[in-house]
Structures are given as structure tokens and as C-alpha cells.
Amino acid sequence: MAESGKIDPMHQFAIEPLFGTDHWSLGGFNIAFTNSALYMVLAAVVLWIFVIGGMKRELVPGRWQMAVEYMTGFIKNLLIANIGDKGRKYIPYVFSLFMFILLANLLGLLPLGLIGMHPFTFTSHFTATGVLAIMSFSIVLIVGFWKHGFHFFSLFVPHGTPIAMVVPLFFIELVSFMVRPFSLGLRLFVAMTAGHVLLKVLAGFVINSANASPALGLTVGTASFILMIGISALEMLVAVIQAYVFALLTSVYLNDAENLH
Amino acid sequence: MPQIAQIADTYSSQIFWLLLTFGLVFFVIGLGMVPKVQGTADARDAKISGDLDAAKAAFARADEAEADYRVRDAQNRTAAQAVVAKAKSEAAKASETKLAAADADVASKIAAAEARIQAASNAALAEIETVAADAARDMVARISGVEASEDAARNAVKAALAHG
């Protein structure tokens, strides 16, 4: 990219099959082990190592155990605050979801490009975030219909609706309900993509202005670089917040299914 | 935008690997390990709240014991004061009777002594009269040569002593 004099801020999102796995397939579908899959595995492995540190089960915890218990306790409190005591049974799912997304976001921010690797954030792909969103939405549907049967449709008619408004409101609420998986998946995808693009565009400014002339490099380049430092910090915050928002919205939707008004 | 440009080539691989990795995360970590971690934290919370309850109960028992002790202390104090007061009054009575007895003894001794002194002084007076009467008779006999009678001398002495 750099040798062509043009920096493509989108290249970071390119998916490439790794090491001759190009033609792996399952039932005719391509399942090549890509750089995206590599980061999914990395996120899973890092999460596994993290949680192993919490398995010492000591009464007086060490730092690592404390950290793991802090995270599980955080998810537990989130679920209890949103769903009540019945929310405890969703701790394994929401914890997996939150930590998996969080680690994906953070691992994608590692400055591995400095040593010639291709850092990749699979949460910037809606094929990945869409699967997670549909998974959460399916659980909401399954729990809702399992617990309440067709009564679950009363979710679309808020309490105290005048009779004349029941039918229009039903459709409005139905649409807002059906939009949930899209907003859930697209929010994460857009937030990660936008931040990463912005960082790469600013990095392009630094490189191109420095190549153009020392004066431009010192003014535009320095300003862009300072901005990049701030935005990098912001991106770490966004990585945490987006994972939190995903887990929070999942628990809010689960509350609808569990408690139905 | 590779997310859209590559979607036809990569969607199956993305979905497959995401389901595989997230499935492993959910079943191995979420279901296998997280409940144990959370169980440890819950057990600790339960132990802490149990210990706190036990400490509170122990505090309550200690307060009760102290109140009990105060009540018994007050009772013992009043009982001891009663015993002391009784002993004091008994001792006062005993010393009063002893004093009365001693007083009576002393009074009788004084009376006897006074009687003895009275008798001695009477005897002494009588002696003085006799001696004085003898002396008076002697003086009368020497001066006038008349032998005065014993009775007359005695009366004269008595009259002189009485006027003394």
C-alpha cells in the first residue's frame, strides 16, 4: 500500500485465507481458516486463559482471581439489575458474549502492524456481529415464546393503550422489535469500522504529509499524530463500551422475554 | 469496503468459525468455568454475610450478658449494703448495752466509793470532836482548874465546829 503512495484505510478489513486453507469447505460452503477466524480463535484462547486464572477458587482471592470474579460479578449485577434474580441463568451466555466481543475489540487494537502483522478486528464485520446479534435475538424469541406462548405478542401492546390504537401500535412495536437484531449487530460493526477507518485515515495523513514536505509533515503530520493518540485512547473506550452495550441490550431484551412488561 | 465486497466469498467461513469459536467459548468457558468462578464469589459473599451475622449475634449476646451483669451487680450491691447496715446497727446496739452496763458498774463503784469517803470523813469528824473535846477539857482544867464534864466539852466543841 505504502509503496504505491496511496494508503487504503479499508485494507485492514480485508479477509485473507491463511496457509493453504483456501479450499476447505463444508457441504459446499467455503470455510477457509482466515485471518478473521484466527482472531476469533485468539479471542477464545485469551478468554480461556483469563478465566483459568479465576479457577483457583480460593476464599481469599489473588489479583487474577479477583479480576475474573470482578468480570463475572459485573455481568451478574448487570443481569440482576435488568432482569431480576431470574437473570442469573443467563450469566454464562452474557459473560461469554461480553468477554468475546471485548477481547475481539481489544485484540484488534493491538499495534501489531508495527511488526508487519495484520491486526484484524472481526467485530468490524457484520457477518460476525450479525451472527452474534441473531443469536441473542433468537434466545429472546425462544425464551419469550417458551415462557409465555402466544401471550408473548402482548409485548407489542403496551399497557393502557386505547382500543383504537392497539392495531397501529402493534405494528409499530413489531417493527421496533424486529429491528433489534439489526441495530444490535450493525451498531457494533459500525462503531468498530468507523474508529479503525479514522485511525488509518489519520495515519495516512501523517505519512503522506511527511512525504510531501517537511513543513507539511511538521504541521499537518504532527497535528494528525496527536489526534491519533487521543483517538486511540477513545477507541479503547469504544471497544469496552460497545461490548458493554451489546451485553446490556441483550439483557434488556432478555428482560422483555423473561418478565413481559 | 471489504465487509461488503468480500461477503460472497467469506460469509460462510465467517459464520462457521464464529459459531465454532463462540460455541466453544460458551460451552467450555461460559457453562463450564464461569459458574464455578461465580460460585466461589457467591460462597465468599455468603461466608462474609454469615460471619457478619454471627458477629452481630455475638455482640447482642455480649450486650445481654453485660446488662445481666449490671442487674446482678446492682442486686449484690444493695444486698451488701443491707448486710453492712444490719451489722452496723447490731454493733451499735451491742456497744450501747455494753456502755450502759459499764456506766452502771462505774456508777455503783462511784456510789460505794462516795459512801466510803462519807464514812471516813464522818469518822474523821468524830475523831476530831473527841480530840477537840479532850483538848477543850485539858484547856479548861489548866486554865480554871475546873474539871469540865465530857458532855459539856463535847457540846462546846460541836457548837464551835458548827459555827466554824
Side-chain angles (χ1 to χ4, degrees):
Chain A
M1 339 176 268
E3 57 266 21
S4 70
K6 179 176 173 297
I7 293 157
D8 178 12
M10 287 304 181
H11 174 73
Q12 57 177 325
F13 303 118
I15 295 178
E16 301 147 354
L18 296 175
F19 313 118
T21 58
D22 228 347
H23 302 296
W24 285 9
S25 67
L26 186 78
F29 291 104
N30 171 32
I31 56 158
F33 188 78
T34 60
N35 50 354
S36 174
L38 175 66
Y39 269 85
M40 293 175 193
V41 171
L42 274 178
V45 169
V46 170
L47 178 54
W48 181 62
I49 292 169
F50 175 67
V51 179
I52 278 181
M55 295 288 283
K56 279 180 249 159
R57 317 201 65 178
E58 282 165 4
L59 186 63
V60 178
R63 286 176 202 197
W64 196 316
Q65 190 188 340
M66 198 75 211
V68 179
E69 284 174 4
Y70 178 80
M71 295 314 296
T72 63
F74 171 68
I75 297 299
K76 183 195 81 174
N77 292 338
L78 173 74
L79 285 167
I80 286 178
N82 281 301
I83 306 178
D85 232 22
K86 283 185 281 184
R88 277 176 182 272
K89 58 176 170 289
Y90 300 110
I91 291 176
Y93 176 69
V94 178
F95 178 82
S96 306
L97 197 62
F98 174 73
M99 293 303 287
F100 194 57
I101 295 173
L102 178 66
L103 285 170
N105 294 349
L106 290 177
L107 287 175
L109 280 174
L110 289 178
L112 296 176
L114 291 176
I115 52 168
M117 291 166 77
H118 179 180
F120 187 88
T121 317
F122 66 82
T123 44
S124 65
H125 278 253
F126 56 82
T127 38
T129 61
V131 171
L132 294 172
I134 290 169
M135 208 151 38
S136 286
F137 190 65
S138 310
I139 290 174
V140 170
L141 284 182
I142 291 166
V143 170
F145 282 110
W146 184 276
K147 282 190 79 94
H148 304 290
F150 284 106
H151 194 58
F152 186 52
F153 284 111
S154 74
L155 181 67
F156 305 135
V157 185
H159 274 302
T161 312
I163 301 294
M165 293 298 290
V166 164
V167 173
L169 257 186
F170 181 86
F171 283 105
I172 292 170
E173 290 282 323
L174 181 65
V175 168
S176 88
F177 184 76
M178 297 310 288
V179 160
R180 282 176 179 183
F182 298 98
S183 66
L184 200 55
L186 289 178
R187 181 183 296 112
L188 179 56
F189 148 68
V190 165
M192 299 321 291
T193 303
H196 283 253
V197 169
L198 186 56
L199 281 177
K200 291 299 184 292
V201 167
L202 287 172
F205 283 176
V206 175
I207 293 167
N208 287 336
S209 64
N211 284 344
S213 77
L216 272 179
L218 279 175
T219 52
V220 177
T222 312
S224 300
F225 190 72
I226 290 168
L227 197 57
M228 273 184 77
I229 294 173
I231 291 176
S232 296
L234 187 69
E235 275 306 291
M236 289 209 267
L237 186 68
V238 168
V240 178
I241 287 176
Q242 287 300 324
Y244 174 66
V245 165
F246 205 104
L248 176 69
L249 286 176
T250 297
S251 64
V252 169
Y253 298 159
L254 280 169
N255 176 45
D256 283 343
E258 189 74 39
N259 295 322
L260 197 63
H261 296 315
Chain B
M1 198 175 199
Q3 286 97 325
I4 296 167
Q6 290 185 310
I7 190 165
D9 297 331
T10 58
Y11 78 95
S12 51
S13 150
Q14 285 280 80
I15 294 171
F16 172 78
W17 287 105
L18 185 79
L19 287 178
L20 187 72
T21 50
F22 186 76
L24 278 175
V25 165
F26 175 64
F27 286 107
V28 175
I29 299 171
L31 289 180
M33 298 157 85
V34 169
K36 288 179 189 159
V37 172
Q38 190 54 41
T40 311
D42 288 345
R44 181 184 312 117
D45 289 348
K47 175 146 179 54
I48 288 170
S49 65
D51 286 358
L52 281 180
D53 287 348
K56 247 181 231 165
F59 258 118
R61 272 206 310 278
D63 283 349
E64 219 169 85
E66 199 188 331
D68 198 39
Y69 160 76
R70 276 180 203 285
V71 169
R72 261 185 300 138
D73 189 48
Q75 279 172 354
N76 289 345
R77 225 172 257 276
T78 46
Q81 273 164 357
V83 168
V84 167
K86 200 177 155 205
K88 256 187 199 165
S89 70
E90 266 170 18
K93 240 180 245 166
S95 64
E96 237 168 64
T97 47
K98 254 185 210 165
L99 267 178
D103 272 351
D105 198 26
V106 168
S108 67
K109 270 186 188 159
I110 287 172
E114 273 174 351
R116 267 206 317 282
I117 289 167
Q118 193 62 44
S121 83
N122 286 349
L125 274 177
E127 200 109 329
I128 285 171
E129 268 176 30
T130 335
V131 172
D134 282 350
R137 273 171 67 202
D138 264 358
M139 280 193 285
V140 167
R142 284 234 189 118
I143 295 166
S144 58
V146 183
E147 194 78 20
S149 76
E150 210 160 306
D151 284 341
R154 186 156 301 183
N155 284 342
V157 165
K158 260 187 193 162
L161 278 176
H163 288 126

